[in-house]
Amino acid sequence: MLRTMAFTSSDVRAAERPLLDRSVPLMRMASRALADVCRSVVNARGSEVERSSIVILAGAGNNGGDGLYAGSLLARSGAGVTVLAVGTALHDAAARSLMRAGGRVLVVDPRCRIPGFDTGFDDAELRLRLTASADLLLHADVVMDAMTGIGSKGALTGTASVMADLLAEILHDGRRCADGNDDNDGNGEGAHDRPTVVAVDVPSGLGVDSGTVPGASITADVTVTFGALKPCLVVPPVCYRRGGLVVVDLGLDLDPGRAVVRRMDASCASSRLVVPGAGDMKYSRGVVGLITGSQRYPGAGVLSVSAAARSGCGMVRYLGPRRAQDLVLQAMPEVVVGKGHVQAWTVGCGVDPDDHDDDSPASAVGALLRHYQTDDGGSVSTTGVEPMPPVSMPPVCVDAGALDLLPDHVLPQVVITPHAGELARLLTRMGHPRTVDAVLDDPWGNAVLVHRITGATVLLKGAMTLVVGDDGQGDGLHPDGAHPDGARTMVSGAGPAWLSTAGSGDVLAGLIGSLLAQWRASRESADDATAEERSSAGKDRGCPAVTEIAAAGAYIHGLSGRMASGCDVCADAEPLIMRVAPVGGVTRDSSTSSDRVPWNRARSIGHPIVASDLIEQLQFVLASLLRRHEDDDARR
Ligand SMILES: NC(=O)C1=CN([C@@H]2O[C@H](COP(=O)(O)OP(=O)(O)OC[C@H]3O[C@@H](n4cnc5c(N)ncnc54)[C@H](OP(=O)(O)O)[C@@H]3O)[C@@H](O)[C@H]2O)[C@@H](O)CC1
Ligand SMILES: Nc1ncnc2c1ncn2[C@@H]1O[C@H](COP(=O)(O)OP(=O)(O)O)[C@@H](O)[C@H]1O
Ligand SMILES: [K+]
């Protein structure tokens, strides 16, 4: 749970309460883990704690308290520790502990009231102190950001905001430019010509529960979060600013049903794969139908079909235009061209929505999607098409050109796969005008909005891909209450930036269609699936499996990108779990090797790829996930 589930600030606070009532020293425990990470960061920089310089940006709340207690432990280990007090006070007991250990305090906020320190200084003095702060930040090994945590309200204000901007400038320019000297370590890397930023609980200045960036904020190299993941650490755009993740297990008793966001991981993705048995045949393994490609973009047909065929289904049926058919058959002679029964669809890749000819792919897609149209209450609309019970409709992955043909309200087994530009266009068409930048500023909020107004399962592509779908159990609310009747949000950030290459989305759409067909076929043929179970799998509300399968598709796609490019830099690496007892030492999860710890900067940047390379890798990625399946089965 600590690795995959994110909880709102209020749920984390509520879970802390009983422990605090029992006098469990949560802040001391948190700060021990934090100090341990800082020591490792210093060592990873090739330095020693005794010779290191640690600067702590400390606010007036408990987040500042965590930083101060950690600073106190580091000062006792011999580090030079300076606290820049950026708020109206400092956590009293923690500040005294720090000073007893030999740490120094520089008050930077003129409003700050700390016994024994100058306050209320004038602008000239403030400028001097800011210059001194800049110098300290510039030459620090580690900057600990302890300005605001889960008590953060809106955009950073006052000195905290000034400090965030100052640090951003220093990180951007590096020590070399700021000093005019070349501090490069001579090995050609220059990796340590700037401090390593360790965020305490969450990077300051960010929307903790929304994942948005309202103003000046901190960008961290490592975030050490306490008790549980918070939404901002896993949803974009904030997740791009938190660096490597460490989750400190404080023993909080959190209800998994209240997780607002879940990270897709290997274990969950592998559990969504279907393994054929002796009684299976091609039809029972899942047949996916594709209406993709066009006279103008036949390649999208080839890519989507090849990806579908390589993703484990029993058969692929192709219904694209003539020119694309020939190319598809050349690339994949296994494909069957023409109509027939399918258990899932992929439509839209390379389809021109404005091609209104009767036999055009757009016309076929439009006619198909009308079968999924519902009224707002979830009943299938019968206007102009033959009525079909919702449960009998196979899932459909709606990509690219087909997004323009999406009815206003559809069944939840409709998975739409827009990128930010397509989502903005869709929202604008539906009467909620958005620019692409507005979507990129709040991808989660906008994905939830599209899910709410269309009823579709929404997969919003990006470095961190978001999937918002109906949960059917009322868990997993977006914290702004935009979807009070229950939505599930999953994220997957397994792929490197090399993945953003033309045709990559076509591969994803084909892959998702294939996974959906296999799931649907397995539900149809499962001996133990009662009629009731079967109907609940496709009920007008409640398709948690569809959400998970779409997210598993994004995860598999991401891993294929990683394998094809040889790059392991991606938006979402596995967090490191640290366990800390009320008394005693800090332990790290034994499964994490030292080259995978989040503060290790050695990463392989890999090389460019084309979308076809992803298809070649699919079988190897699926093989590794299926091995995991086998291992999990053996454990059960
Ligand atoms: N509970 C526990 O047992 C445990 C809690 N733990 C830790 O406590 C943290 C929560 O502490 P918290 O509740 O004191 O809030 P916190 O994040 O320090 O923020 C409040 C301060 O920030 C300031 N501030 C706010 N917004 C601002 C803005 N926009 N711009 C500028 N300033 C702003 C605000 O100023 P004020 O509004 O009062 O002027 C106030 O000074 C949590 O994240 C974790 O680290 C761990 O030790 C584990 C055990
Ligand atoms: N910076 C990035 N890092 C990792 N993956 C990315 C990044 N940007 C985009 N992607 C992924 O690349 C794919 C691009 O899809 P899409 O834009 O639909 O391409 P196309 O339309 O050319 O097929 C998506 O799966 C998306 O999640
Ligand atoms: K912080």
Side-chain angles (χ1 to χ4, degrees):
M1 178 169 92
L2 289 177
R3 259 196 193 88
T4 53
M5 296 190 186
F7 296 86
T8 61
S9 317
S10 57
D11 277 0
V12 171
R13 274 193 203 286
E16 282 168 345
R17 180 68 12 232
L19 298 178
L20 292 173
D21 291 347
R22 295 207 311 268
S23 303
V24 178
L26 292 182
M27 192 183 273
R28 296 296 200 139
M29 291 159 68
S31 55
R32 270 171 27 225
L34 183 57
D36 193 74
V37 170
C38 290
R39 284 191 200 99
S40 302
V41 166
V42 169
N43 292 336
R45 290 170 63 92
S47 187
E48 288 150 26
V49 176
E50 298 77 21
R51 293 175 40 221
S52 67
S53 159
I54 314 274
V55 175
I56 303 172
L57 298 170
N62 290 334
N63 193 248
D66 293 338
L68 292 165
Y69 275 127
S72 158
L73 294 170
L74 291 163
R76 285 205 175 88
S77 307
V81 179
T82 308
V83 171
L84 303 178
V86 303
T88 50
L90 282 181
H91 186 285
D92 195 34
R96 277 187 278 121
S97 167
L98 175 105
M99 286 187 277
R100 275 200 305 276
R104 296 182 306 148
V105 175
L106 175 63
V107 174
V108 200
D109 191 321
R111 300 165 308 154
C112 189
R113 300 269 172 270
I114 311 175
F117 282 83
D118 287 351
T119 50
F121 39 82
D122 61 19
D123 283 355
E125 177 63 19
L126 175 60
R127 275 196 296 279
L128 283 176
R129 292 184 186 209
L130 286 173
T131 307
S133 303
D135 196 55
L136 284 161
L137 290 170
L138 201 56
H139 292 95
D141 292 292
V142 175
V143 172
M144 210 191 285
D145 159 35
M147 298 197 287
T148 62
I150 59 175
S152 168
K153 293 184 286 287
L156 284 182
T157 54
T159 312
S161 156
V162 173
M163 280 298 161
D165 285 341
L166 192 58
L167 183 60
E169 210 174 300
I170 286 168
L171 295 180
H172 181 261
D173 293 346
R175 193 170 294 170
R176 209 172 348 169
C177 308
D179 274 357
N181 298 321
D182 190 346
D183 274 7
N184 199 319
D185 52 15
N187 64 8
E189 288 177 4
H192 300 138
D193 59 356
R194 64 171 189 78
T196 303
V197 180
V198 177
V200 180
D201 208 10
V202 292
S204 301
L206 306 164
V208 180
D209 288 340
S210 66
T212 55
V213 185
S217 64
I218 297 289
T219 297
D221 297 298
V222 181
T223 295
V224 184
T225 201
F226 306 125
L229 290 171
K230 321 297 181 301
C232 69
L233 300 175
V234 291
V235 301
V238 169
C239 65
Y240 305 139
R241 295 168 182 243
R242 48 78 162 153
L245 257 183
V246 179
V247 184
V248 181
D249 185 356
L250 294 176
L252 306 190
D253 183 15
L254 284 150
D255 171 6
R258 291 191 59 86
V260 276
V261 187
R262 291 153 205 242
R263 289 178 56 249
M264 175 51 69
D265 66 355
S267 168
C268 186
S270 94
S271 75
R272 283 298 173 194
L273 299 180
V274 181
V275 181
D280 272 312
M281 33 108 71
K282 62 189 175 194
Y283 300 112
S284 67
R285 290 187 52 203
V287 181
V288 59
L290 290 101
I291 312 176
T292 56
S294 56
Q295 290 297 112
R296 192 155 167 219
Y297 303 113
V302 176
L303 289 168
S304 54
V305 163
S306 308
R310 286 263 178 229
S311 306
C313 59
M315 186 197 279
V316 176
R317 294 190 191 278
Y318 183 62
L319 288 90
R322 189 58 211 236
R323 179 167 175 227
Q325 284 176 16
D326 294 342
L327 293 173
V328 162
L329 285 172
Q330 256 165 37
M332 277 276 152
E334 300 85 350
V335 170
V336 174
V337 172
K339 287 185 181 167
H341 182 69
V342 301
Q343 280 107 351
W345 290 99
T346 287
V347 300
C349 318
V351 167
D352 175 3
D354 297 322
D355 180 358
H356 301 296
D357 284 355
D358 281 354
D359 59 349
S360 72
S363 300
V365 170
L368 176 72
L369 292 183
R370 279 195 289 280
H371 288 283
Y372 292 83
Q373 186 171 342
T374 65
D375 61 26
D376 275 350
S379 325
V380 173
S381 158
T382 54
T383 336
V385 287
E386 216 177 296
M388 289 181 87
V391 61
S392 62
M393 297 301 295
V396 54
C397 176
V398 178
D399 189 46
L403 293 165
D404 286 349
L405 305 167
L406 188 76
D408 285 350
H409 206 272
V410 291
L411 293 168
Q413 61 264 49
V414 175
V415 180
I416 63 171
T417 56
H419 52 58
E422 288 164 338
L423 195 90
R425 197 165 71 233
L426 189 62
L427 272 168
T428 303
R429 171 162 74 85
M430 295 188 160
H432 300 263
R434 290 288 185 284
T435 60
V436 181
D437 283 346
V439 171
L440 292 172
D441 285 346
D442 184 10
W444 190 20
N446 283 297
V448 168
L449 178 61
V450 172
H451 167 64
R452 184 166 61 84
I453 58 183
T454 64
T457 300
V458 180
L459 180 148
L460 175 56
K461 291 183 277 201
M464 188 70 110
T465 290
L466 280 158
V467 187
V468 181
D470 240 353
D471 183 281
Q473 295 161 30
D475 69 359
L477 309 183
H478 184 260
D480 73 0
H483 193 69
D485 52 345
R488 171 176 296 225
T489 297
M490 300 202 70
V491 291
S492 174
W498 299 117
L499 200 52
S500 87
T501 177
S504 177
D506 305 330
V507 172
L508 176 66
L511 161 64
I512 290 175
S514 180
L515 296 178
L516 287 168
Q518 292 167 67
W519 165 73
R520 179 68 177 222
S522 73
R523 300 300 301 147
E524 281 175 2
S525 61
D527 288 337
D528 57 351
T530 61
E532 199 180 335
E533 272 177 329
R534 277 203 291 275
S535 87
S536 74
K539 240 167 89 175
D540 34 343
R541 272 210 59 235
C543 271
V546 171
T547 310
E548 264 185 35
I549 291 163
Y555 184 79
I556 293 166
H557 183 246
L559 289 189
S560 304
R562 214 189 285 187
M563 279 177 111
S565 68
C567 173
D568 62 5
V569 184
C570 56
D572 188 34
E574 182 94 333
L576 170 68
I577 309 296
M578 279 185 148
R579 300 188 203 282
V580 48
V583 202
V586 176
T587 52
R588 288 180 198 161
D589 191 314
S590 56
S591 66
T592 313
S593 64
S594 63
D595 58 335
R596 306 288 319 166
V597 293
W599 46 84
N600 193 337
R601 287 170 189 239
R603 294 274 186 266
S604 168
I605 55 171
H607 52 79
I609 50 172
V610 293
S612 305
D613 298 337
L614 299 171
I615 298 168
E616 281 174 30
Q617 295 302 321
L618 282 172
Q619 59 185 311
F620 303 112
V621 172
L622 292 171
S624 73
L625 292 173
L626 286 165
R627 270 197 298 278
R628 201 178 172 107
H629 206 295
E630 225 168 29
D631 293 347
D632 287 351
D633 275 357
R635 268 197 294 277
R636 272 193 291 271

